[in-house]
Amino acid sequence: MDDIAQTYAYSAPAAEVASEASSIRVTRQTPEASETGELSVLTYNVRGLPWPLALNRAKALREIGRELAAMRQAGRQPDLVLIQEGFRAEVADLVRESGYAYWARGPGRPLAKLTNGGLHILSDAPILDVRRAAFGACAGFDCLANKGAMMVRVQPDWSPTPIDVVNTHMNARKASGAPRSQTLPAHHGQTRELTDFVTTHRDTDHPLLVGGDFNIRNSQARYDYQADNRPFAVVEEFCSRSGSGCGAGAPDTTTKPWLRTQDLQGFRDGVVRVQPVASRFLFNQGDQRLSDHEAYLVRYRLSWKTETLAAVYQPDPSLQVKPHKLGFRVSWAP
């Protein structure tokens, strides 16, 4: 798989607010040197399909950017936005409207494909590194896009370690136009490839956050495949357990809420512990929906003990982050 690391950074201008945000308030904390911080992640399939597969999507992409800008003006914007189906060039309009300082893109368009992978990550914190890989397995119309996975390494100013963040989009079922005899093996193959990608590129000292369109709604066969090898815990499944600490209310232990949606988030500890504390679906107001997916927001609490961290984690002293005309340059001293 492609493991080229290259960062595309975009310094976004101040955005005008064109709509009122519809969201939960995300509390943003800048902890003292002591031991906790919070970070929010939004994963969103924006249906940025090229014409004529979808109509009026350029306008919708700009409106999504304005929704994010309204959240920013209110001080509750997600720290990270993971986008799927961002195939159109107008994704740049979304980025400009949203006000995020850093923008990384996933697998590009090879000659054999109709379009790129449609994956993007927006971040307020500096992006130190990007890894990307296209899936080899696919079925039906999905083979026209360079679907796959990407990982960025971000460094919030309050976090004692970088955070590894993965975004992915996996093979559809009916929308792919292929029979189940082809789409299920393709999805299984992509599951194996995603596991390999994460385990190869993730630094186990860093906390891991994962999101994307997994295309698993109502499919136990897709969700359960190699679940024991999954390199992250799925938020909805984890939070369904008694004593999970995910927030107020009784956990849902019977209806498998993680199978009600295509979109998942996951996490895993590094030397810093990760705990989901709240989640919600956004941008889903009836006829005003901006995509055929809802946006899925999860807020995480990261915690650590300073003395434990000092004993276990030693940052690489050769890593340098310097200003650059695209935003920044990452280099390693020999």
Side-chain angles (χ1 to χ4, degrees), residues 196-227:
D196 289 344
F197 176 78
V198 173
T199 55
T200 297
H201 296 297
R202 181 214 173 192
D203 187 324
T204 56
D205 283 340
H206 301 167
L208 172 70
L209 302 176
V210 179
D213 180 353
F214 284 77
N215 270 308
I216 49 79
R217 183 167 54 206
N218 299 324
S219 177
Q220 196 74 51
R222 288 182 169 218
Y223 184 83
D224 285 349
Y225 181 70
Q226 292 200 347

PDB file of all heavy atoms in Angstrom, residues 196-227:
ATOM      1  N   ASP A 196      -4.451  -3.426   8.445  1.00  0.00           N
ATOM      2  CA  ASP A 196      -3.021  -3.388   8.137  1.00  0.00           C
ATOM      3  C   ASP A 196      -2.504  -1.951   8.078  1.00  0.00           C
ATOM      4  O   ASP A 196      -1.410  -1.644   8.572  1.00  0.00           O
ATOM      5  CB  ASP A 196      -2.741  -4.077   6.796  1.00  0.00           C
ATOM      6  CG  ASP A 196      -2.919  -5.588   6.866  1.00  0.00           C
ATOM      7  OD1 ASP A 196      -2.965  -6.131   7.990  1.00  0.00           O
ATOM      8  OD2 ASP A 196      -3.011  -6.217   5.794  1.00  0.00           O
ATOM      9  N   PHE A 197      -3.294  -1.067   7.472  1.00  0.00           N
ATOM     10  CA  PHE A 197      -2.896   0.334   7.344  1.00  0.00           C
ATOM     11  C   PHE A 197      -2.727   0.975   8.720  1.00  0.00           C
ATOM     12  O   PHE A 197      -1.718   1.639   8.989  1.00  0.00           O
ATOM     13  CB  PHE A 197      -3.946   1.091   6.529  1.00  0.00           C
ATOM     14  CG  PHE A 197      -3.689   2.571   6.414  1.00  0.00           C
ATOM     15  CD1 PHE A 197      -2.751   3.064   5.529  1.00  0.00           C
ATOM     16  CD2 PHE A 197      -4.406   3.471   7.198  1.00  0.00           C
ATOM     17  CE1 PHE A 197      -2.511   4.431   5.415  1.00  0.00           C
ATOM     18  CE2 PHE A 197      -4.176   4.835   7.098  1.00  0.00           C
ATOM     19  CZ  PHE A 197      -3.231   5.317   6.202  1.00  0.00           C
ATOM     20  N   VAL A 198      -3.703   0.773   9.599  1.00  0.00           N
ATOM     21  CA  VAL A 198      -3.653   1.396  10.925  1.00  0.00           C
ATOM     22  C   VAL A 198      -2.490   0.838  11.741  1.00  0.00           C
ATOM     23  O   VAL A 198      -1.718   1.587  12.355  1.00  0.00           O
ATOM     24  CB  VAL A 198      -4.984   1.207  11.670  1.00  0.00           C
ATOM     25  CG1 VAL A 198      -4.871   1.709  13.107  1.00  0.00           C
ATOM     26  CG2 VAL A 198      -6.112   1.938  10.951  1.00  0.00           C
ATOM     27  N   THR A 199      -2.345  -0.483  11.752  1.00  0.00           N
ATOM     28  CA  THR A 199      -1.293  -1.078  12.576  1.00  0.00           C
ATOM     29  C   THR A 199       0.101  -0.757  12.040  1.00  0.00           C
ATOM     30  O   THR A 199       1.059  -0.656  12.811  1.00  0.00           O
ATOM     31  CB  THR A 199      -1.478  -2.603  12.673  1.00  0.00           C
ATOM     32  OG1 THR A 199      -1.542  -3.168  11.363  1.00  0.00           O
ATOM     33  CG2 THR A 199      -2.760  -2.945  13.412  1.00  0.00           C
ATOM     34  N   THR A 200       0.213  -0.550  10.725  1.00  0.00           N
ATOM     35  CA  THR A 200       1.512  -0.216  10.138  1.00  0.00           C
ATOM     36  C   THR A 200       1.929   1.217  10.450  1.00  0.00           C
ATOM     37  O   THR A 200       3.097   1.479  10.768  1.00  0.00           O
ATOM     38  CB  THR A 200       1.480  -0.411   8.612  1.00  0.00           C
ATOM     39  OG1 THR A 200       1.245  -1.789   8.316  1.00  0.00           O
ATOM     40  CG2 THR A 200       2.793   0.025   7.966  1.00  0.00           C
ATOM     41  N   HIS A 201       0.993   2.157  10.383  1.00  0.00           N
ATOM     42  CA  HIS A 201       1.353   3.572  10.435  1.00  0.00           C
ATOM     43  C   HIS A 201       1.094   4.233  11.783  1.00  0.00           C
ATOM     44  O   HIS A 201       1.670   5.287  12.055  1.00  0.00           O
ATOM     45  CB  HIS A 201       0.615   4.336   9.338  1.00  0.00           C
ATOM     46  CG  HIS A 201       1.004   3.913   7.966  1.00  0.00           C
ATOM     47  ND1 HIS A 201       2.281   4.060   7.481  1.00  0.00           N
ATOM     48  CD2 HIS A 201       0.295   3.309   6.978  1.00  0.00           C
ATOM     49  CE1 HIS A 201       2.342   3.579   6.246  1.00  0.00           C
ATOM     50  NE2 HIS A 201       1.156   3.117   5.922  1.00  0.00           N
ATOM     51  N   ARG A 202       0.297   3.638  12.618  1.00  0.00           N
ATOM     52  CA  ARG A 202       0.035   4.255  13.908  1.00  0.00           C
ATOM     53  C   ARG A 202       1.241   4.104  14.839  1.00  0.00           C
ATOM     54  O   ARG A 202       1.888   3.056  14.865  1.00  0.00           O
ATOM     55  CB  ARG A 202      -1.189   3.586  14.540  1.00  0.00           C
ATOM     56  CG  ARG A 202      -1.548   4.173  15.887  1.00  0.00           C
ATOM     57  CD  ARG A 202      -2.111   3.169  16.849  1.00  0.00           C
ATOM     58  NE  ARG A 202      -2.274   3.781  18.163  1.00  0.00           N
ATOM     59  CZ  ARG A 202      -2.520   3.109  19.260  1.00  0.00           C
ATOM     60  NH1 ARG A 202      -2.634   1.794  19.204  1.00  0.00           N
ATOM     61  NH2 ARG A 202      -2.635   3.738  20.414  1.00  0.00           N
ATOM     62  N   ASP A 203       1.533   5.138  15.602  1.00  0.00           N
ATOM     63  CA  ASP A 203       2.519   5.066  16.674  1.00  0.00           C
ATOM     64  C   ASP A 203       1.777   4.660  17.939  1.00  0.00           C
ATOM     65  O   ASP A 203       0.872   5.373  18.394  1.00  0.00           O
ATOM     66  CB  ASP A 203       3.195   6.418  16.862  1.00  0.00           C
ATOM     67  CG  ASP A 203       4.359   6.373  17.851  1.00  0.00           C
ATOM     68  OD1 ASP A 203       4.274   5.629  18.850  1.00  0.00           O
ATOM     69  OD2 ASP A 203       5.342   7.101  17.637  1.00  0.00           O
ATOM     70  N   THR A 204       2.123   3.513  18.527  1.00  0.00           N
ATOM     71  CA  THR A 204       1.364   2.996  19.665  1.00  0.00           C
ATOM     72  C   THR A 204       1.504   3.859  20.911  1.00  0.00           C
ATOM     73  O   THR A 204       0.721   3.704  21.855  1.00  0.00           O
ATOM     74  CB  THR A 204       1.790   1.554  19.990  1.00  0.00           C
ATOM     75  OG1 THR A 204       3.213   1.519  20.217  1.00  0.00           O
ATOM     76  CG2 THR A 204       1.424   0.614  18.855  1.00  0.00           C
ATOM     77  N   ASP A 205       2.462   4.777  20.943  1.00  0.00           N
ATOM     78  CA  ASP A 205       2.537   5.726  22.044  1.00  0.00           C
ATOM     79  C   ASP A 205       1.482   6.822  21.926  1.00  0.00           C
ATOM     80  O   ASP A 205       1.166   7.493  22.904  1.00  0.00           O
ATOM     81  CB  ASP A 205       3.917   6.384  22.108  1.00  0.00           C
ATOM     82  CG  ASP A 205       4.980   5.467  22.702  1.00  0.00           C
ATOM     83  OD1 ASP A 205       4.614   4.503  23.397  1.00  0.00           O
ATOM     84  OD2 ASP A 205       6.173   5.719  22.457  1.00  0.00           O
ATOM     85  N   HIS A 206       0.953   7.019  20.722  1.00  0.00           N
ATOM     86  CA  HIS A 206      -0.001   8.100  20.492  1.00  0.00           C
ATOM     87  C   HIS A 206      -1.432   7.601  20.669  1.00  0.00           C
ATOM     88  O   HIS A 206      -1.752   6.481  20.254  1.00  0.00           O
ATOM     89  CB  HIS A 206       0.132   8.646  19.068  1.00  0.00           C
ATOM     90  CG  HIS A 206       1.481   9.186  18.751  1.00  0.00           C
ATOM     91  ND1 HIS A 206       1.875   9.475  17.454  1.00  0.00           N
ATOM     92  CD2 HIS A 206       2.533   9.514  19.546  1.00  0.00           C
ATOM     93  CE1 HIS A 206       3.110   9.947  17.476  1.00  0.00           C
ATOM     94  NE2 HIS A 206       3.530   9.975  18.735  1.00  0.00           N
ATOM     95  N   PRO A 207      -2.327   8.416  21.210  1.00  0.00           N
ATOM     96  CA  PRO A 207      -3.742   8.056  21.163  1.00  0.00           C
ATOM     97  C   PRO A 207      -4.208   7.996  19.712  1.00  0.00           C
ATOM     98  O   PRO A 207      -3.700   8.723  18.852  1.00  0.00           O
ATOM     99  CB  PRO A 207      -4.435   9.183  21.932  1.00  0.00           C
ATOM    100  CG  PRO A 207      -3.459  10.310  21.956  1.00  0.00           C
ATOM    101  CD  PRO A 207      -2.096   9.708  21.869  1.00  0.00           C
ATOM    102  N   LEU A 208      -5.169   7.107  19.444  1.00  0.00           N
ATOM    103  CA  LEU A 208      -5.679   6.888  18.091  1.00  0.00           C
ATOM    104  C   LEU A 208      -7.163   7.225  18.051  1.00  0.00           C
ATOM    105  O   LEU A 208      -7.933   6.784  18.909  1.00  0.00           O
ATOM    106  CB  LEU A 208      -5.482   5.420  17.694  1.00  0.00           C
ATOM    107  CG  LEU A 208      -6.127   4.976  16.380  1.00  0.00           C
ATOM    108  CD1 LEU A 208      -5.409   5.596  15.185  1.00  0.00           C
ATOM    109  CD2 LEU A 208      -6.121   3.439  16.268  1.00  0.00           C
ATOM    110  N   LEU A 209      -7.571   7.998  17.032  1.00  0.00           N
ATOM    111  CA  LEU A 209      -8.977   8.289  16.761  1.00  0.00           C
ATOM    112  C   LEU A 209      -9.260   7.890  15.318  1.00  0.00           C
ATOM    113  O   LEU A 209      -8.449   8.146  14.422  1.00  0.00           O
ATOM    114  CB  LEU A 209      -9.270   9.773  16.967  1.00  0.00           C
ATOM    115  CG  LEU A 209      -8.964  10.330  18.361  1.00  0.00           C
ATOM    116  CD1 LEU A 209      -9.207  11.830  18.399  1.00  0.00           C
ATOM    117  CD2 LEU A 209      -9.802   9.626  19.433  1.00  0.00           C
ATOM    118  N   VAL A 210     -10.416   7.264  15.087  1.00  0.00           N
ATOM    119  CA  VAL A 210     -10.772   6.736  13.767  1.00  0.00           C
ATOM    120  C   VAL A 210     -12.198   7.159  13.453  1.00  0.00           C
ATOM    121  O   VAL A 210     -13.064   7.172  14.334  1.00  0.00           O
ATOM    122  CB  VAL A 210     -10.682   5.199  13.739  1.00  0.00           C
ATOM    123  CG1 VAL A 210     -11.070   4.650  12.368  1.00  0.00           C
ATOM    124  CG2 VAL A 210      -9.282   4.734  14.123  1.00  0.00           C
ATOM    125  N   GLY A 211     -12.461   7.513  12.199  1.00  0.00           N
ATOM    126  CA  GLY A 211     -13.823   7.825  11.775  1.00  0.00           C
ATOM    127  C   GLY A 211     -13.988   7.573  10.302  1.00  0.00           C
ATOM    128  O   GLY A 211     -13.008   7.403   9.566  1.00  0.00           O
ATOM    129  N   GLY A 212     -15.244   7.562   9.857  1.00  0.00           N
ATOM    130  CA  GLY A 212     -15.490   7.411   8.436  1.00  0.00           C
ATOM    131  C   GLY A 212     -16.811   6.751   8.131  1.00  0.00           C
ATOM    132  O   GLY A 212     -17.613   6.421   9.022  1.00  0.00           O
ATOM    133  N   ASP A 213     -17.034   6.562   6.828  1.00  0.00           N
ATOM    134  CA  ASP A 213     -18.214   5.872   6.321  1.00  0.00           C
ATOM    135  C   ASP A 213     -17.823   4.409   6.117  1.00  0.00           C
ATOM    136  O   ASP A 213     -17.181   4.059   5.131  1.00  0.00           O
ATOM    137  CB  ASP A 213     -18.658   6.516   5.006  1.00  0.00           C
ATOM    138  CG  ASP A 213     -19.889   5.847   4.407  1.00  0.00           C
ATOM    139  OD1 ASP A 213     -20.329   4.810   4.935  1.00  0.00           O
ATOM    140  OD2 ASP A 213     -20.394   6.358   3.382  1.00  0.00           O
ATOM    141  N   PHE A 214     -18.224   3.568   7.066  1.00  0.00           N
ATOM    142  CA  PHE A 214     -17.855   2.152   7.038  1.00  0.00           C
ATOM    143  C   PHE A 214     -18.860   1.305   6.263  1.00  0.00           C
ATOM    144  O   PHE A 214     -18.623   0.124   6.052  1.00  0.00           O
ATOM    145  CB  PHE A 214     -17.717   1.615   8.464  1.00  0.00           C
ATOM    146  CG  PHE A 214     -16.446   2.049   9.153  1.00  0.00           C
ATOM    147  CD1 PHE A 214     -16.312   3.327   9.657  1.00  0.00           C
ATOM    148  CD2 PHE A 214     -15.374   1.180   9.285  1.00  0.00           C
ATOM    149  CE1 PHE A 214     -15.136   3.739  10.285  1.00  0.00           C
ATOM    150  CE2 PHE A 214     -14.199   1.573   9.910  1.00  0.00           C
ATOM    151  CZ  PHE A 214     -14.082   2.858  10.408  1.00  0.00           C
ATOM    152  N   ASN A 215     -19.985   1.903   5.861  1.00  0.00           N
ATOM    153  CA  ASN A 215     -21.000   1.175   5.097  1.00  0.00           C
ATOM    154  C   ASN A 215     -21.379  -0.153   5.755  1.00  0.00           C
ATOM    155  O   ASN A 215     -21.357  -1.213   5.111  1.00  0.00           O
ATOM    156  CB  ASN A 215     -20.523   0.965   3.651  1.00  0.00           C
ATOM    157  CG  ASN A 215     -20.942   2.103   2.738  1.00  0.00           C
ATOM    158  OD1 ASN A 215     -22.113   2.477   2.679  1.00  0.00           O
ATOM    159  ND2 ASN A 215     -19.985   2.673   2.036  1.00  0.00           N
ATOM    160  N   ILE A 216     -21.744  -0.092   7.038  1.00  0.00           N
ATOM    161  CA  ILE A 216     -22.083  -1.318   7.773  1.00  0.00           C
ATOM    162  C   ILE A 216     -23.533  -1.335   8.288  1.00  0.00           C
ATOM    163  O   ILE A 216     -23.908  -2.255   9.004  1.00  0.00           O
ATOM    164  CB  ILE A 216     -21.126  -1.542   8.964  1.00  0.00           C
ATOM    165  CG1 ILE A 216     -20.978  -0.280   9.831  1.00  0.00           C
ATOM    166  CG2 ILE A 216     -19.745  -1.946   8.450  1.00  0.00           C
ATOM    167  CD1 ILE A 216     -22.063   0.004  10.782  1.00  0.00           C
ATOM    168  N   ARG A 217     -24.343  -0.335   7.912  1.00  0.00           N
ATOM    169  CA  ARG A 217     -25.689  -0.254   8.488  1.00  0.00           C
ATOM    170  C   ARG A 217     -26.481  -1.537   8.246  1.00  0.00           C
ATOM    171  O   ARG A 217     -26.577  -2.034   7.123  1.00  0.00           O
ATOM    172  CB  ARG A 217     -26.455   0.939   7.908  1.00  0.00           C
ATOM    173  CG  ARG A 217     -27.848   1.115   8.531  1.00  0.00           C
ATOM    174  CD  ARG A 217     -28.440   2.461   8.186  1.00  0.00           C
ATOM    175  NE  ARG A 217     -28.457   2.697   6.750  1.00  0.00           N
ATOM    176  CZ  ARG A 217     -28.447   3.909   6.209  1.00  0.00           C
ATOM    177  NH1 ARG A 217     -28.390   4.983   6.983  1.00  0.00           N
ATOM    178  NH2 ARG A 217     -28.476   4.034   4.897  1.00  0.00           N
ATOM    179  N   ASN A 218     -27.011  -2.089   9.329  1.00  0.00           N
ATOM    180  CA  ASN A 218     -27.858  -3.295   9.308  1.00  0.00           C
ATOM    181  C   ASN A 218     -27.132  -4.522   8.763  1.00  0.00           C
ATOM    182  O   ASN A 218     -27.782  -5.489   8.337  1.00  0.00           O
ATOM    183  CB  ASN A 218     -29.141  -3.055   8.498  1.00  0.00           C
ATOM    184  CG  ASN A 218     -29.984  -1.952   9.084  1.00  0.00           C
ATOM    185  OD1 ASN A 218     -30.056  -1.789  10.312  1.00  0.00           O
ATOM    186  ND2 ASN A 218     -30.649  -1.179   8.234  1.00  0.00           N
ATOM    187  N   SER A 219     -25.815  -4.513   8.788  1.00  0.00           N
ATOM    188  CA  SER A 219     -25.060  -5.665   8.294  1.00  0.00           C
ATOM    189  C   SER A 219     -24.159  -6.210   9.392  1.00  0.00           C
ATOM    190  O   SER A 219     -23.032  -5.750   9.574  1.00  0.00           O
ATOM    191  CB  SER A 219     -24.217  -5.282   7.073  1.00  0.00           C
ATOM    192  OG  SER A 219     -23.438  -6.396   6.655  1.00  0.00           O
ATOM    193  N   GLN A 220     -24.660  -7.207  10.110  1.00  0.00           N
ATOM    194  CA  GLN A 220     -23.860  -7.848  11.139  1.00  0.00           C
ATOM    195  C   GLN A 220     -22.645  -8.535  10.520  1.00  0.00           C
ATOM    196  O   GLN A 220     -21.567  -8.571  11.115  1.00  0.00           O
ATOM    197  CB  GLN A 220     -24.712  -8.878  11.890  1.00  0.00           C
ATOM    198  CG  GLN A 220     -24.120  -9.332  13.203  1.00  0.00           C
ATOM    199  CD  GLN A 220     -24.240  -8.280  14.292  1.00  0.00           C
ATOM    200  OE1 GLN A 220     -25.309  -7.750  14.535  1.00  0.00           O
ATOM    201  NE2 GLN A 220     -23.133  -7.969  14.952  1.00  0.00           N
ATOM    202  N   ALA A 221     -22.822  -9.068   9.304  1.00  0.00           N
ATOM    203  CA  ALA A 221     -21.726  -9.787   8.645  1.00  0.00           C
ATOM    204  C   ALA A 221     -20.552  -8.852   8.361  1.00  0.00           C
ATOM    205  O   ALA A 221     -19.390  -9.243   8.508  1.00  0.00           O
ATOM    206  CB  ALA A 221     -22.215 -10.423   7.349  1.00  0.00           C
ATOM    207  N   ARG A 222     -20.848  -7.635   7.963  1.00  0.00           N
ATOM    208  CA  ARG A 222     -19.776  -6.668   7.715  1.00  0.00           C
ATOM    209  C   ARG A 222     -19.140  -6.216   9.029  1.00  0.00           C
ATOM    210  O   ARG A 222     -17.920  -6.148   9.147  1.00  0.00           O
ATOM    211  CB  ARG A 222     -20.312  -5.447   6.951  1.00  0.00           C
ATOM    212  CG  ARG A 222     -20.633  -5.734   5.491  1.00  0.00           C
ATOM    213  CD  ARG A 222     -21.120  -4.489   4.759  1.00  0.00           C
ATOM    214  NE  ARG A 222     -21.164  -4.732   3.318  1.00  0.00           N
ATOM    215  CZ  ARG A 222     -20.832  -3.852   2.394  1.00  0.00           C
ATOM    216  NH1 ARG A 222     -20.428  -2.640   2.739  1.00  0.00           N
ATOM    217  NH2 ARG A 222     -20.894  -4.151   1.108  1.00  0.00           N
ATOM    218  N   TYR A 223     -19.966  -5.892   9.999  1.00  0.00           N
ATOM    219  CA  TYR A 223     -19.451  -5.336  11.248  1.00  0.00           C
ATOM    220  C   TYR A 223     -18.617  -6.358  12.018  1.00  0.00           C
ATOM    221  O   TYR A 223     -17.584  -6.017  12.613  1.00  0.00           O
ATOM    222  CB  TYR A 223     -20.608  -4.858  12.119  1.00  0.00           C
ATOM    223  CG  TYR A 223     -20.155  -4.170  13.390  1.00  0.00           C
ATOM    224  CD1 TYR A 223     -19.794  -2.828  13.380  1.00  0.00           C
ATOM    225  CD2 TYR A 223     -20.071  -4.872  14.589  1.00  0.00           C
ATOM    226  CE1 TYR A 223     -19.350  -2.200  14.534  1.00  0.00           C
ATOM    227  CE2 TYR A 223     -19.636  -4.251  15.749  1.00  0.00           C
ATOM    228  CZ  TYR A 223     -19.274  -2.914  15.713  1.00  0.00           C
ATOM    229  OH  TYR A 223     -18.832  -2.307  16.865  1.00  0.00           O
ATOM    230  N   ASP A 224     -19.055  -7.603  12.023  1.00  0.00           N
ATOM    231  CA  ASP A 224     -18.407  -8.616  12.847  1.00  0.00           C
ATOM    232  C   ASP A 224     -17.130  -9.184  12.239  1.00  0.00           C
ATOM    233  O   ASP A 224     -16.350  -9.837  12.937  1.00  0.00           O
ATOM    234  CB  ASP A 224     -19.369  -9.777  13.123  1.00  0.00           C
ATOM    235  CG  ASP A 224     -20.424  -9.428  14.148  1.00  0.00           C
ATOM    236  OD1 ASP A 224     -20.290  -8.366  14.794  1.00  0.00           O
ATOM    237  OD2 ASP A 224     -21.394 -10.191  14.292  1.00  0.00           O
ATOM    238  N   TYR A 225     -16.923  -8.959  10.940  1.00  0.00           N
ATOM    239  CA  TYR A 225     -15.781  -9.591  10.280  1.00  0.00           C
ATOM    240  C   TYR A 225     -14.475  -9.124  10.921  1.00  0.00           C
ATOM    241  O   TYR A 225     -14.170  -7.936  10.962  1.00  0.00           O
ATOM    242  CB  TYR A 225     -15.785  -9.271   8.783  1.00  0.00           C
ATOM    243  CG  TYR A 225     -14.640  -9.911   8.040  1.00  0.00           C
ATOM    244  CD1 TYR A 225     -14.605 -11.286   7.837  1.00  0.00           C
ATOM    245  CD2 TYR A 225     -13.582  -9.152   7.567  1.00  0.00           C
ATOM    246  CE1 TYR A 225     -13.552 -11.889   7.165  1.00  0.00           C
ATOM    247  CE2 TYR A 225     -12.523  -9.731   6.898  1.00  0.00           C
ATOM    248  CZ  TYR A 225     -12.510 -11.108   6.702  1.00  0.00           C
ATOM    249  OH  TYR A 225     -11.456 -11.698   6.045  1.00  0.00           O
ATOM    250  N   GLN A 226     -13.721 -10.070  11.425  1.00  0.00           N
ATOM    251  CA  GLN A 226     -12.425  -9.832  12.084  1.00  0.00           C
ATOM    252  C   GLN A 226     -12.507  -8.744  13.160  1.00  0.00           C
ATOM    253  O   GLN A 226     -11.556  -7.983  13.379  1.00  0.00           O
ATOM    254  CB  GLN A 226     -11.357  -9.472  11.042  1.00  0.00           C
ATOM    255  CG  GLN A 226     -11.009 -10.634  10.119  1.00  0.00           C
ATOM    256  CD  GLN A 226      -9.664 -10.474   9.423  1.00  0.00           C
ATOM    257  OE1 GLN A 226      -9.063  -9.404   9.421  1.00  0.00           O
ATOM    258  NE2 GLN A 226      -9.192 -11.558   8.828  1.00  0.00           N
ATOM    259  N   ALA A 227     -13.659  -8.703  13.858  1.00  0.00           N
ATOM    260  CA  ALA A 227     -13.838  -7.702  14.912  1.00  0.00           C
ATOM    261  C   ALA A 227     -12.809  -7.869  16.027  1.00  0.00           C
ATOM    262  O   ALA A 227     -12.404  -6.882  16.657  1.00  0.00           O
ATOM    263  CB  ALA A 227     -15.253  -7.788  15.478  1.00  0.00           C
TER     264      ALA A 227
END
